[in-house]
Amino acid sequence: MGHAPPTTVRQLADETGISNETTEFAADMADAVSRSGVVDDSLPSAVAAGCLHAAVRALGAETSDARSRCREPKPNHNWNHQVRHNRSDNGSTEMTISKAASITPASLRKHSREAATIYLDSDAEMADARTRQRLTRLTLR
Protein backbone atom coordinates (compact mmCIF):
# COMPACT_ATOMS: atom_id res chain seq x y z
CA MET A 1 0.00 0.00 0.00
CA GLY A 2 1.20 3.47 -0.72
CA HIS A 3 1.15 6.56 1.42
CA ALA A 4 -2.32 8.12 1.79
CA PRO A 5 -2.30 11.25 3.90
CA PRO A 6 -5.45 11.84 5.95
CA THR A 7 -6.04 15.06 3.99
CA THR A 8 -6.48 13.02 0.80
CA VAL A 9 -9.05 10.87 2.60
CA ARG A 10 -10.90 13.96 3.84
CA GLN A 11 -10.97 15.53 0.37
CA LEU A 12 -12.36 12.32 -1.12
CA ALA A 13 -14.92 12.06 1.67
CA ASP A 14 -16.07 15.63 1.07
CA GLU A 15 -16.42 14.90 -2.62
CA THR A 16 -18.49 11.76 -2.02
CA GLY A 17 -20.64 12.99 0.87
CA ILE A 18 -19.38 10.62 3.58
CA SER A 19 -20.24 11.50 7.18
CA ASN A 20 -17.69 13.10 9.53
CA GLU A 21 -17.56 10.06 11.82
CA THR A 22 -16.76 7.74 8.92
CA THR A 23 -14.27 10.24 7.51
CA GLU A 24 -12.36 10.39 10.81
CA PHE A 25 -12.27 6.60 11.03
CA ALA A 26 -10.96 6.43 7.43
CA ALA A 27 -8.32 9.07 8.24
CA ASP A 28 -7.19 6.98 11.24
CA MET A 29 -7.02 3.97 8.97
CA ALA A 30 -4.96 5.91 6.38
CA ASP A 31 -2.61 7.00 9.15
CA ALA A 32 -2.14 3.38 10.27
CA VAL A 33 -1.52 2.33 6.66
CA SER A 34 1.10 5.04 6.15
CA ARG A 35 2.83 4.11 9.44
CA SER A 36 2.87 0.41 8.55
CA GLY A 37 5.81 0.72 6.19
CA VAL A 38 4.15 -1.56 3.66
CA VAL A 39 4.73 0.38 0.45
CA ASP A 40 4.23 -0.40 -3.22
CA ASP A 41 3.39 1.59 -6.30
CA SER A 42 -0.27 2.27 -5.43
CA LEU A 43 -1.62 5.73 -6.05
CA PRO A 44 -2.37 7.76 -2.92
CA SER A 45 -5.91 8.36 -4.20
CA ALA A 46 -6.48 4.59 -4.55
CA VAL A 47 -5.20 3.97 -1.03
CA ALA A 48 -7.37 6.81 0.32
CA ALA A 49 -10.38 5.38 -1.50
CA GLY A 50 -9.66 1.93 -0.05
CA CYS A 51 -9.47 3.35 3.46
CA LEU A 52 -12.69 5.27 2.94
CA HIS A 53 -14.51 2.24 1.56
CA ALA A 54 -13.28 0.03 4.40
CA ALA A 55 -14.46 2.62 6.93
CA VAL A 56 -17.87 2.84 5.26
CA ARG A 57 -18.21 -0.95 5.35
CA ALA A 58 -16.98 -1.19 8.95
CA LEU A 59 -19.33 1.47 10.27
CA GLY A 60 -22.28 0.53 8.08
CA ALA A 61 -22.43 4.01 6.60
CA GLU A 62 -23.10 5.13 3.06
CA THR A 63 -22.89 8.29 0.98
CA SER A 64 -25.66 10.86 1.16
CA ASP A 65 -26.25 10.27 -2.57
CA ALA A 66 -26.76 6.53 -2.03
CA ARG A 67 -29.08 7.17 0.94
CA SER A 68 -31.27 9.51 -1.06
CA ARG A 69 -31.47 7.04 -3.95
CA CYS A 70 -32.42 4.22 -1.59
CA ARG A 71 -35.31 6.19 -0.11
CA GLU A 72 -37.00 7.21 -3.31
CA PRO A 73 -36.35 4.99 -6.28
CA LYS A 74 -37.18 6.97 -9.38
CA PRO A 75 -38.22 5.01 -12.44
CA ASN A 76 -36.11 5.61 -15.52
CA HIS A 77 -35.31 3.68 -18.69
CA ASN A 78 -33.62 0.97 -16.57
CA TRP A 79 -36.59 0.54 -14.23
CA ASN A 80 -37.46 -3.09 -13.51
CA HIS A 81 -41.20 -3.26 -12.79
CA GLN A 82 -41.06 -6.75 -11.27
CA VAL A 83 -38.68 -5.92 -8.44
CA ARG A 84 -39.45 -2.18 -8.26
CA HIS A 85 -35.92 -0.84 -8.56
CA ASN A 86 -33.49 0.13 -11.27
CA ARG A 87 -31.55 -2.67 -12.96
CA SER A 88 -28.20 -1.20 -11.97
CA ASP A 89 -27.49 0.65 -8.76
CA ASN A 90 -25.23 3.41 -10.05
CA GLY A 91 -25.66 5.38 -6.84
CA SER A 92 -24.07 2.80 -4.58
CA THR A 93 -21.37 3.87 -2.18
CA GLU A 94 -18.81 1.64 -3.88
CA MET A 95 -19.47 3.19 -7.28
CA THR A 96 -19.51 6.72 -5.86
CA ILE A 97 -16.09 6.27 -4.23
CA SER A 98 -14.69 4.48 -7.30
CA LYS A 99 -15.77 7.27 -9.61
CA ALA A 100 -14.45 9.98 -7.31
CA ALA A 101 -11.05 8.28 -7.02
CA SER A 102 -10.97 7.32 -10.73
CA ILE A 103 -10.35 3.64 -10.01
CA THR A 104 -12.28 0.48 -10.83
CA PRO A 105 -14.56 -1.13 -8.25
CA ALA A 106 -12.29 -4.20 -8.24
CA SER A 107 -9.28 -2.03 -7.42
CA LEU A 108 -11.30 -0.27 -4.72
CA ARG A 109 -12.20 -3.59 -3.11
CA LYS A 110 -8.55 -4.75 -3.27
CA HIS A 111 -7.27 -1.57 -1.59
CA SER A 112 -10.10 -1.74 0.91
CA ARG A 113 -9.16 -5.30 1.95
CA GLU A 114 -5.49 -4.35 2.24
CA ALA A 115 -6.26 -1.25 4.32
CA ALA A 116 -8.55 -3.25 6.63
CA THR A 117 -5.88 -5.93 7.10
CA ILE A 118 -3.20 -3.38 7.95
CA TYR A 119 -5.53 -1.52 10.30
CA LEU A 120 -6.52 -4.71 12.13
CA ASP A 121 -2.83 -5.60 12.57
CA SER A 122 -1.96 -2.12 13.84
CA ASP A 123 -2.10 -1.03 17.46
CA ALA A 124 -5.01 1.35 16.79
CA GLU A 125 -8.00 1.16 19.09
CA MET A 126 -11.32 0.56 17.39
CA ALA A 127 -14.64 1.86 18.60
CA ASP A 128 -16.24 -1.52 19.27
CA ALA A 129 -16.22 -5.24 18.58
CA ARG A 130 -18.79 -4.87 15.80
CA THR A 131 -16.42 -2.62 13.83
CA ARG A 132 -13.61 -5.15 14.24
CA GLN A 133 -15.93 -7.96 13.12
CA ARG A 134 -17.02 -6.06 9.99
CA LEU A 135 -13.41 -5.25 9.10
CA THR A 136 -12.47 -8.91 9.58
CA ARG A 137 -15.29 -9.97 7.26
CA LEU A 138 -14.09 -7.46 4.69
CA THR A 139 -10.58 -8.94 4.72
CA LEU A 140 -11.96 -12.43 4.06
CA ARG A 141 -13.78 -11.47 0.86
Side-chain angles (χ1 to χ4, degrees):
M1 300 282 299
H3 178 70
T7 54
T8 306
V9 173
R10 287 186 180 95
Q11 290 169 350
L12 188 60
D14 288 342
E15 192 175 325
T16 57
I18 302 290
S19 71
N20 289 335
E21 177 188 5
T22 306
T23 302
E24 291 306 314
F25 185 62
D28 289 344
M29 193 176 293
D31 188 44
V33 168
S34 65
R35 282 183 288 135
S36 72
V38 179
V39 179
D40 65 8
D41 59 350
S42 297
L43 295 171
S45 62
V47 176
C51 292
L52 192 59
H53 185 254
V56 166
R57 296 292 301 267
L59 298 178
E62 54 187 20
T63 62
S64 57
D65 186 40
R67 280 192 303 272
S68 66
R69 289 180 192 227
C70 289
R71 285 189 203 128
E72 294 181 24
K74 295 180 182 173
N76 63 19
H77 68 283
N78 285 327
W79 184 256
N80 185 332
H81 293 282
Q82 293 174 334
V83 293
R84 304 210 27 91
H85 64 76
N86 289 322
R87 287 183 180 92
S88 62
D89 182 13
N90 293 329
S92 72
T93 302
E94 183 177 286
M95 286 303 296
T96 304
I97 294 171
S98 295
K99 287 178 183 177
S102 299
I103 60 174
T104 65
S107 178
L108 176 67
R109 289 188 297 271
K110 173 189 166 267
H111 285 91
S112 181
R113 283 190 304 271
E114 290 174 357
T117 301
I118 291 169
Y119 189 71
L120 285 168
D121 291 342
S122 73
D123 59 353
E125 291 184 28
M126 278 178 250
D128 57 10
R130 186 176 206 182
T131 302
R132 180 174 286 283
Q133 181 184 27
R134 286 180 175 174
L135 280 176
T136 303
R137 265 191 265 144
L138 178 65
T139 62
L140 299 175
R141 290 182 181 201

